[in-house]
Amino acid sequence: MTTLREFTMDDLLKFNNINLDVLTETYNMPFYLSYMSRWPESFLVAEAPKGGLMGYILGKAEGEGKLWHGHVSAVTVAPAYRRLGMAKSLMDDFESLCIHTYSAYFV
């Protein structure tokens, strides 16, 4: 069964199967670390039953007043796990997080 959980420092050494795909935007290490330090609950990973990473979503909350919202900086799934609804599951979880944790008006 797939597990959705917060991204950890160790995951930075395990997500090459996701990031080395031509359809995935890859950022530098300080970018990932800044999200982990400022919005750790919004940096989620999908983990396979045997411990491999299937995909991740990188998000944050931003804006002011009625424009306070959740922002998705990246959502990607490893090629071997595409077309299984993984990105939808990550987005649904992030949307729920934005509503219940950040009191966001939209994503």
Side-chain angles (χ1 to χ4, degrees), residues 7-25:
F7 204 90
T8 66
M9 294 290 280
D10 290 339
D11 293 329
L12 291 171
L13 305 173
K14 297 192 260 182
F15 73 162
N16 281 342
N17 67 315
I18 302 167
N19 272 6
L20 295 179
D21 178 62
V22 297
L23 298 176
T24 299
E25 182 74 30

Side-chain angles (χ1 to χ4, degrees), residues 68-83:
W68 183 250
H69 65 282
H71 173 92
V72 177
S73 298
V75 60
T76 187
V77 176
Y81 299 104
R82 290 189 182 146
R83 307 209 37 94

Side-chain angles (χ1 to χ4, degrees), residues 1-3 17-18 45-49 51-56 76-82 84 86 90:
M1 182 167 74
T2 302
T3 303
N17 67 315
I18 302 167
V45 65
E47 186 176 40
L53 301 185
M54 302 166 74
Y56 67 85
T76 187
V77 176
Y81 299 104
R82 290 189 182 146
L84 300 173
M86 185 61 52
L90 289 164

Side-chain angles (χ1 to χ4, degrees), residues 22-94:
V22 297
L23 298 176
T24 299
E25 182 74 30
T26 302
Y27 303 99
N28 58 31
M29 201 61 69
F31 183 83
Y32 293 108
L33 294 172
S34 71
Y35 271 73
M36 287 176 63
S37 65
R38 293 187 65 191
W39 304 283
E41 64 280 349
S42 296
F43 195 175
L44 305 171
V45 65
E47 186 176 40
K50 294 185 179 180
L53 301 185
M54 302 166 74
Y56 67 85
I57 188 165
L58 184 63
K60 62 182 177 179
E62 63 183 9
E64 294 180 11
K66 293 285 185 186
L67 296 178
W68 183 250
H69 65 282
H71 173 92
V72 177
S73 298
V75 60
T76 187
V77 176
Y81 299 104
R82 290 189 182 146
R83 307 209 37 94
L84 300 173
M86 185 61 52
K88 182 182 181 335
S89 294
L90 289 164
M91 283 298 299
D92 288 347
D93 199 65
F94 180 70

